[in-house]
């Protein structure tokens, strides 16, 4: 933590005191012999005291020093050693003023004062040599201060740019975390909705056949348990990602491994379909000219679309419905069609309340500028049709609901 004095770093305040002290010391030490005596010493001491504020108020300090120097020359006192304060004030206003315009004006005033001092204190006929010498000294100090100012502003701009980039990186990191958590929340909804639908269907079926077919009821209960375990494992894995990590104090670096929230792929669809067959649906599956490999995110989208469509079928058409899942590569994109005949057994109890299944499906498809249509078929049942363009053909036409 930096120590400050009156809002300024202690190091800067100490340096300004070191700069002002010699001016004040010279003005008082030469009082017995210099023109003007103690009056001139008072002017020099005032100049030195003003320099203490040269960083915070450079324009005001320069104005005060200029007025005191004008009084000194007007009284006919020759330039004295403490007039070094004029050059210090000029340097300060060029370096620290908010606008360079103040430094330009200060430079012109200093040159005018040098000419005035040369006329007042030099021998007639050679005053202009003195004026030129003063002007050259003033010009050298002004250019040096301008160079320092330019470098100072350049360093400040680099620091500001670095701070801006750091803030942008932090904002991007926060946005990435929020996006990932939103995706995980959507995944969690899909897992819970699918598993609960399967478990409800199996539990209802077991209740109806408990007396007439105990073996079938036991199989249904076993399916409920297996589905519940898988859902619980998935939920633990996804919720674990949402928790803030708490690494041990001296944990060794872990080797790179597959993320805990592994993305399902199209190759895992048969296993997903088998779970729905176990729940009572009669599911057919065909794949036509599907390119390999597909982008991982696209595979996840296809997997979740199939899962949601079959979950809705189990909820509304009931166990026993005939479902056909078709994946095909058509016209530079992937087409997914899930149709059912709506001829399943009527679900026991009231139908499940409406969820966010179709909304989530539309959101997933819209990421790829695809289209999704979902609705009843003329021949009965329900159809979900989605078309997703492949990244290699971004201009391909897309269909999705």
């Amino acid at each position: 933590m930096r120590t400050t004095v009156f809002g300024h770093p202690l190091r800067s305040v100490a340096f300004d005191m070191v700069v002002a002290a010699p001016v004040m010391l010279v003005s008082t030490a030469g009082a017995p012999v210099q023109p003007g005596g103690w009056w001139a010493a008072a002017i020099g001491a005032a100049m030195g005291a003003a320099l203490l504020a040269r960083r915070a108020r450079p324009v005001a300090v320069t104005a005060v020093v200029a007025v005191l120097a004008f009084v000194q020359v007007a009284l006919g006192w020759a330039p004295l050693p403490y007039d070094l304060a004029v050059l210090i004030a000029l340097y300060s206003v060029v370096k620290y003023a908010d606008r360079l315009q103040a430094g330009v004006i200060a430079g012109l005033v200093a040159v005018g004062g040098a000419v005035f001092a040369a006329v007042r204190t030099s021998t007639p006929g050679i005053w202009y040599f003195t004026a030129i010498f003063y002007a050259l000294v003033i010009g050298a100090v002004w250019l040096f201060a301008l160079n320092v100012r330019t470098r100072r502003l350049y360093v400040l701009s680099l620091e500001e740019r670095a701070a801006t980039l750091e803030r942008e990186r932090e904002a991007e990191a926060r946005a990435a975390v929020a996006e990932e958590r939103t995706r995980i929340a959507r995944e969690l909804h899909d897992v819970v909705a699918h598993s609960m639908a399967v478990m409800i269907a199996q539990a209802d079926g077991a209740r109806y056949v408990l007396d007439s077919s105990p073996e079938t009821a036991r199989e249904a209960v076993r399916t409920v348990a297996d589905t519940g375990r898988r859902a619980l494992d998935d939920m633990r894995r996804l919720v674990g990602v949402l928790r803030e990590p708490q690494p041990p104090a001296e944990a060794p670096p872990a080797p790179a491994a597959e993320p805990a929230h592994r993305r399902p792929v199209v190759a895992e669809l048969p296993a997903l379909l088998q779970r729905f067959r176990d729940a009572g649906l009669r599911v057919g599956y065909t794949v036509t000219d599907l390119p390999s490999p597909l982008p991982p995110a696209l595979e996840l989208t296809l997997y979740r679309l199939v899962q949601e469509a079959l979950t809705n079928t189990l909820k509304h058409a009931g166990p026993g419905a005939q479902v056909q899942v078709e994946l095909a590569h058509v016209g530079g994109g992937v087409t997914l069609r899930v149709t059912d005949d709506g001829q399943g057994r009527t679900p026991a109890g009231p139908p499940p309340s409406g969820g966010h299944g179709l909304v989530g499906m539309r959101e997933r498809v819209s990421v790829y500028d695809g289209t999704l249509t979902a609705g009843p078929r003329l021949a009965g049942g329900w159809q979900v049709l989605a078309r997703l363009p492949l990244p290699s053909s971004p201009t391909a036409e897309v269909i999705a609901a």
Side-chain angles (χ1 to χ4, degrees):
M1 183 175 180
R2 300 177 63 183
T3 305
T4 60
V5 178
F6 301 116
H8 298 282
L10 178 60
R11 181 177 179 181
S12 300
V13 174
F15 182 81
D16 290 341
M17 293 178 66
V18 171
V19 169
V23 175
M24 301 174 68
L25 180 62
V26 169
S27 64
T28 54
V33 296
Q34 67 189 2
W38 287 103
W39 288 105
I43 291 178
M47 287 183 179
L51 292 178
L52 293 173
R54 68 189 189 92
R55 297 175 190 266
R57 299 288 187 271
V59 176
V61 168
T62 303
V64 170
V65 172
V67 170
L68 293 173
F70 176 79
V71 171
Q72 173 194 339
V73 174
L75 293 174
W77 302 333
L80 299 172
Y82 63 72
D83 287 328
L84 179 65
V86 175
L87 298 179
I88 296 175
L90 177 64
Y91 171 87
S92 301
V93 74
V94 174
K95 180 179 179 180
Y96 296 113
D98 293 336
R99 295 190 301 171
L100 185 59
Q101 180 182 359
V104 174
I105 295 175
L108 295 177
V109 171
V111 172
V115 174
F116 179 62
V119 172
R120 290 281 296 174
T121 61
S122 299
T123 304
I126 63 170
W127 65 268
Y128 47 86
F129 291 109
T130 305
I132 292 174
F133 173 75
Y134 289 162
L136 289 177
V137 173
I138 290 171
V141 172
W142 195 92
L143 290 176
F144 177 73
L146 178 63
N147 180 66
V148 175
R149 174 191 178 90
T150 302
R151 181 173 180 80
R152 172 174 170 267
L153 294 179
Y154 175 70
V155 172
L156 290 176
S157 68
L158 291 181
E159 292 176 350
E160 178 63 25
R161 186 180 305 173
T164 301
L165 291 176
E166 182 66 22
R167 289 192 296 270
E168 290 179 353
R169 281 194 294 268
E170 291 177 357
E172 290 174 357
R174 288 193 297 269
V177 170
E179 181 180 356
E180 180 67 5
R181 290 180 177 234
T182 301
R183 187 191 67 79
I184 292 173
R186 188 186 298 117
E187 296 291 310
L188 192 60
H189 164 268
D190 292 340
V191 168
V192 172
H194 156 66
S195 301
M196 292 299 293
V198 172
M199 294 168 67
I200 291 171
Q202 290 294 305
D204 287 339
R207 183 177 64 180
Y208 276 97
V209 300
L210 183 60
D211 296 329
S212 60
S213 179
E215 183 61 31
T216 302
R218 282 194 293 271
E219 185 63 28
V221 172
R222 186 180 302 109
T223 301
V224 171
D226 293 342
T227 302
R229 291 190 188 96
R230 284 194 297 267
L232 185 59
D233 290 340
D234 289 341
M235 289 176 63
R236 284 174 176 169
R237 185 173 64 249
L238 293 172
V239 173
V241 176
L242 294 176
R243 291 175 177 166
E244 295 295 335
Q246 298 292 337
E250 297 182 357
E258 184 181 14
H261 49 291
R262 180 183 57 82
R263 300 179 179 224
V265 295
V266 171
E268 298 179 20
L269 280 177
L272 174 68
L273 302 183
Q274 185 58 47
R275 291 202 293 271
F276 279 99
R277 293 188 185 102
D278 295 340
L281 293 179
R282 294 176 295 161
V283 185
Y285 180 47
T286 59
V287 180
T288 306
D289 298 331
L290 196 64
S292 181
L294 291 172
L298 183 61
E299 291 202 58
L300 173 63
T301 298
L302 291 171
Y303 184 95
R304 293 307 186 197
L305 290 177
V306 172
Q307 184 183 57
E308 187 63 41
L310 294 180
T311 299
N312 290 339
T313 299
L314 189 61
K315 285 181 181 179
H316 301 288
Q322 177 70 43
V323 188
Q324 183 64 33
V325 179
E326 302 174 11
L327 271 176
H329 181 207
V330 179
V334 177
T335 299
L336 168 66
R337 187 190 306 270
V338 181
T339 58
D340 68 78
D341 59 6
Q343 300 300 315
R345 297 189 300 274
T346 303
S353 59
H356 302 282
L358 288 178
V359 174
M361 294 169 73
R362 290 191 179 93
E363 289 178 353
R364 290 182 182 275
V365 172
S366 66
V367 172
Y368 295 91
D369 294 329
T371 58
L372 174 77
T373 57
R377 303 166 59 211
L378 293 178
W382 191 270
Q383 173 178 275
V384 174
L385 175 63
R387 189 167 188 275
L388 304 172
L390 292 174
S392 59
S393 56
T395 58
E397 180 185 359
V398 186
I399 310 174

